[in-house]
């Protein structure tokens, strides 16, 4: 009798469970036809009157039009932020500032469902992610930094911490609301004012955040949110009244920004790309590790800078891990982001889907063993099946370059020295994961990994109190925790 490959005992999961659709209701969502720029506490039209569409990547349908800010609009926003800084925000007692940040957190919690649904509609991520991860974490960042606002002297004793002025903040499309929270909350807590630009494909939750900010009574001009394209971001970076640039996005744009601010006295933090190693030792709890691998790369369609996109498995367990992984990804549900059963939602844009498909072709052409789930995907919208490249070489492009999609490369190793060398042999250094039963191995490895975050026996865990950031081409500076305050202070 042929061996039954995928049983409950083997993988720890039920196999052929059929789920009825469980879509999250979106009838309560009210979107405007057009969104203007949030400048000086009001929604204002862009000077040139230009707008662009934001679409739902799961249906390819237009959700709304958003304003396309040009240099003049950026100038108005930066001047509003500068004025609010000089006249109101830097003079306000820190404990009063904290109350506004706290209020924003509370309002976000009250409207959590609305935020989650819009996040999934605009960006394509599964509702489970936006509901259980993005939105609660975003609110927690505001709560956490509200607590620091009047304790900066304790955070940095004897250093007389002072705000910088206007912070220009530019964020990507993979965690739209969460990245806005990572940026705005510490800036406000440290007494700075803000001009923030969300990514062009995911502007809606930032604009909803603008509504909350208005409702919170935050003084006009303290936070300004403007939408647009790359040039809008560049105009923020280059504006002479901007004192600090905080950027999360690609390494290529990070380099442009660094060149632009060279020779100015602007402070910069850059959170850039990644290509994390997820390392499984023979003594690891294999079923948990397989879940950790899945969570590390297929979570959020692989649109995660810290995604565990390079798997390293110790030789003795490689066959078992790969077999269980194949079985597990067969069971992942790819489809409607608003369905609560969906594991992998829509790829954020057509452009990104084409980029991922290009890399899949490159990986095949390089001769790597290819495996893709046979699951069905919707005929409309941008979707990609979970994909493995097995037995990849260290020099392979799919191993070296950031794909930013549900594509995992697999390599094997024999010794800890070998895996550390291979894991570090990459231009990036944002994060890593290690799975083993031995604490000593964890400490040995984490001290030698050139990665800002190393998770042990877990993956993709975030908390507002812990810092996050990269080495090498993954950028510099830390966001989150006490460390996240210092990027916004002169000391
Ligand atoms: P991106 O193209 O670099 O865009 C990021 C942001 O910068 C967007 O708002 C973008 O506007 C804007 N932008 C584009 N060109 C600009 C310029 N010349 N000057 C100033 N701003 C400019 O990155 P993405 O494709 O949106 O995001 C994916 C990348 O972000 C990945 O590489 C990922 O690893 C990285 N990421 C890193 C972290 C981290 O914490 N390290 C977190 C999330 C994502 P438009 O949207 O209008 O182009
Ligand atoms: Mg969109």
């Amino acid at each position: 009798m042929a061996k039954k490959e995928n049983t409950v005992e083997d993988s720890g999961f039920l196999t052929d469970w059929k789920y009825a659709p469980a879509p999250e209701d979106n009838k309560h969502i009210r979107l405007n036809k057009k969104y203007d720029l949030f400048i000086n506490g009001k929604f204002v039209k862009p000077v040139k009157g230009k707008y662009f569409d934001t679409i739902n990547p799961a249906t390819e349908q237009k959700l709304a039009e958003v304003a396309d800010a040009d240099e003049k609009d950026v100038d108005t926003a930066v001047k509003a932020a500068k004025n609010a800084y000089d006249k109101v925000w830097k003079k306000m007692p820190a404990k009063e500032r904290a109350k506004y940040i706290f209020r924003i957190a509370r309002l976000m919690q009250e409207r959590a469902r609305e935020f989650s649904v819009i996040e999934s509609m605009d960006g394509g991520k599964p509702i489970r992610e936006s509901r259980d991860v993005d939105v609660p974490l975003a609110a927690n960042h505001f709560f956490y930094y509200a607590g620091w606002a009047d304790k900066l002297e304790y955070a940095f004793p004897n250093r007389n911490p002072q705000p910088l002025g206007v912070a220009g903040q530019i964020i990507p499309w993979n965690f739209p609301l969460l990245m806005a929270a990572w940026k705005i909350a510490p800036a406000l807590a440290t007494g700075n004012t803000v001009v923030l630009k969300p990514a062009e494909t995911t502007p809606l939750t930032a604009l909803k955040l603008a509504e909350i900010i208005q409702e919170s009574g935050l003084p006009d001009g303290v936070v300004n949110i403007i939408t647009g394209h790359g040039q809008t971001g560049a105009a923020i970076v280059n504006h002479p009244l901007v004192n600090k640039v905080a950027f999360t996005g690609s390494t290529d744009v990070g380099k442009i920004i660094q060149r632009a601010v060279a020779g100015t006295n602007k402070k910069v933090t850059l959170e850039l790309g990644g290509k994390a190693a997820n390392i499984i030792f023979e003594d690891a709890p294999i079923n948990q590790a397989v879940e950790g691998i899945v969570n590390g790369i297929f979570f959020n369609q692989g649109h995660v800078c810290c995604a565990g996109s390079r798997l390293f498995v110790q030789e003795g367990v490689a066959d078992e891990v790969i077999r269980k992984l194949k079985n597990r990804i067969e069971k992942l549900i790819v489809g409607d982001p608003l369905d609560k059963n969906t594991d992998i939602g829509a790829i954020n844009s057509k452009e990104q889907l084409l980029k991922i498909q290009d890399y899949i072709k490159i990986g095949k052409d390089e001769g790597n063993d290819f495996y893709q789930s046979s699951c069905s995907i919707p005929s409309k919208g941008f979707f990609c099946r979970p994909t493995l490249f097995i037995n990849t070489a260290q020099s392979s492009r799919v191993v070296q370059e950031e794909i930013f999609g549900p594509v995992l490369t697999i390599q094997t190793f024999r010794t800890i020295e070998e895996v550390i060398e291979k894991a570090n042999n990459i231009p990036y250094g944002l994060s890593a994961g290690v799975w083993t039963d031995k604490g000593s191995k964890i400490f040995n490895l984490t001290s030698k990994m050139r990665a800002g975050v190393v998770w042990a026996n877990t993956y993709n865990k975030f908390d507002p109190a812990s810092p996050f950031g990269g080495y090498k081409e993954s950028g510099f500076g830390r966001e989150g925790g006490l460390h996240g305050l210092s990027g916004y202070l002169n000391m």
Side-chain angles (χ1 to χ4, degrees):
M1 198 172 79
K3 185 171 177 290
K4 198 164 171 236
E5 276 238 317
N6 191 18
T7 64
V8 175
E9 299 76 31
D10 182 34
S11 65
F13 287 89
L14 290 172
T15 51
D16 291 318
W17 195 266
K18 294 273 182 286
Y19 294 93
E24 175 78 33
D25 183 22
N26 67 353
K27 291 193 188 66
H28 56 104
I29 300 300
R30 297 277 167 270
L31 290 176
N32 301 344
K33 280 214 163 81
K34 259 188 185 178
Y35 282 91
D36 291 322
L37 306 167
F38 183 63
I39 298 177
N40 210 20
K42 285 158 211 73
F43 285 91
V44 296
K45 297 202 177 315
V47 173
K48 288 220 175 99
K50 280 211 240 158
Y51 292 79
F52 61 95
D53 294 348
T54 185
I55 66 156
N56 180 338
T59 61
E60 299 178 51
Q61 273 163 358
K62 173 172 157 181
L63 292 170
E65 286 174 26
V66 293
D68 190 358
D70 74 356
E71 276 176 26
K72 280 215 177 93
D73 300 303
V74 170
D75 183 57
T76 313
V78 173
K79 284 182 176 149
K82 171 78 174 133
N83 188 49
Y85 175 72
D86 288 334
K87 303 226 168 96
V88 186
W89 200 239
K90 81 171 171 196
K91 295 183 186 160
M92 189 182 282
K95 70 177 198 304
E96 296 302 314
R97 276 205 318 264
K99 288 181 192 167
Y100 289 106
I101 307 171
F102 191 74
R103 205 175 295 156
I104 293 168
R106 288 287 301 274
L107 288 167
M108 192 180 281
Q109 276 188 328
E110 279 170 23
R111 288 170 65 175
R113 180 151 300 241
E114 180 191 358
F115 270 95
S116 320
V117 174
I118 295 174
E119 197 74 312
S120 286
M121 288 169 70
D122 200 19
K125 65 173 65 195
I127 187 74
R128 270 195 342 239
E129 295 290 340
S130 43
R131 183 196 61 194
D132 299 345
V133 181
D134 294 58
V135 177
L137 257 181
N140 282 347
H141 271 270
F142 281 101
F143 279 124
Y144 175 78
Y145 280 111
W148 272 123
D150 62 350
K151 301 173 194 70
L152 299 177
E153 295 287 349
Y154 299 95
F156 307 103
N158 304 318
R159 293 176 65 186
N160 188 26
Q162 296 298 321
L164 303 172
V166 177
Q169 307 183 320
I170 298 161
I171 57 173
W173 42 258
N174 57 345
F175 290 90
L177 182 68
L178 183 59
M179 288 300 119
W182 276 31
K183 297 268 182 289
I184 295 174
L188 297 186
T190 46
N192 297 278
T193 58
V194 166
V195 176
L196 175 125
K197 186 194 98 66
E200 61 192 75
T201 57
T202 53
L204 293 181
T205 46
L207 292 162
K208 285 277 156 189
L209 175 60
E211 289 176 11
I212 280 188
I213 286 169
Q214 209 175 29
E215 204 181 325
S216 75
L218 186 77
D220 292 348
V222 172
V223 172
N224 304 274
I225 296 181
I226 55 174
T227 45
H229 296 89
Q231 311 90 283
T232 315
I236 296 175
V237 171
N238 292 320
H239 198 291
L241 293 178
V242 166
N243 306 96
K244 148 90 187 189
V245 176
F247 173 77
T248 297
S250 61
T251 297
D252 287 347
V253 175
K255 286 179 181 173
I256 295 173
I257 290 176
Q258 216 182 346
R259 276 196 288 272
V261 299
T264 71
N265 60 1
K266 291 175 188 176
K267 235 183 161 167
V268 190
T269 42
L270 301 175
E271 305 267 12
L272 310 175
K275 191 79 184 177
N278 204 357
I279 301 168
I280 319 291
F281 286 97
E282 281 166 358
D283 58 1
I286 298 298
N287 287 351
Q288 283 97 314
V290 168
E291 262 325 275
I293 298 164
V294 168
N295 178 35
I297 178 67
F298 300 122
F299 155 89
N300 204 21
Q301 300 71 251
H303 294 341
V304 187
C305 48
C306 50
S309 49
R310 289 181 299 149
L311 175 64
F312 290 92
V313 195
Q314 204 162 14
E315 270 185 12
V317 289
D319 289 347
E320 182 187 357
V321 169
I322 293 166
R323 174 171 49 81
K324 288 184 171 175
L325 189 59
K326 284 179 175 175
N327 288 340
R328 182 68 181 102
I329 68 171
E330 272 300 317
K331 303 292 170 267
L332 293 176
I333 300 172
V334 182
D336 180 6
L338 285 183
D339 193 315
K340 290 162 209 155
N341 296 320
T342 294
D343 297 301
I344 301 180
I347 300 301
N348 184 265
S349 64
K350 186 167 191 183
E351 199 185 4
Q352 185 61 24
L353 179 61
L354 292 174
K355 180 180 160 192
I356 297 166
Q357 287 168 343
D358 249 10
Y359 270 110
I360 291 178
K361 182 170 181 310
I362 290 167
K364 283 178 171 172
D365 290 349
E366 284 177 331
N368 301 298
D369 291 350
F370 167 78
Y371 181 86
Q372 203 170 44
S373 160
S374 62
C375 65
S376 63
I377 57 173
S379 55
K380 225 175 158 35
F382 315 131
F383 292 92
C384 180
R385 295 185 176 89
T387 303
L388 308 177
F389 282 113
I390 306 164
N391 294 325
T392 47
Q394 182 72 18
S395 58
S396 161
R397 278 188 65 193
V398 287
V399 170
Q400 289 289 326
E401 296 173 22
E402 186 184 48
I403 300 173
F404 225 57
V407 180
L408 177 68
T409 64
I410 306 179
Q411 292 167 267
T412 58
F413 67 94
R414 288 187 184 170
T415 65
I416 187 164
E417 292 76 25
E418 180 192 351
V419 75
I420 290 170
E421 187 171 338
K422 283 181 171 168
N424 282 336
N425 184 2
I426 192 110
Y428 297 109
L430 193 55
S431 60
V434 51
W435 298 79
T436 168
D437 199 26
K438 266 209 167 348
S440 57
K441 224 184 263 174
I442 291 172
F443 287 117
N444 182 7
L445 190 123
T446 49
S447 62
K448 294 180 184 136
M449 290 294 299
R450 302 288 292 161
V453 178
V454 186
W455 286 289
N457 293 326
T458 185
Y459 207 91
N460 273 336
K461 283 274 180 292
F462 294 95
D463 189 277
S466 57
F468 183 87
Y471 281 84
K472 301 190 277 186
E473 294 210 0
S474 293
F476 49 80
R478 295 291 178 264
E479 291 186 307
L482 185 106
H483 304 66
L485 294 165
S486 58
Y488 289 96
L489 290 167
N490 261 328
M491 294 186 279

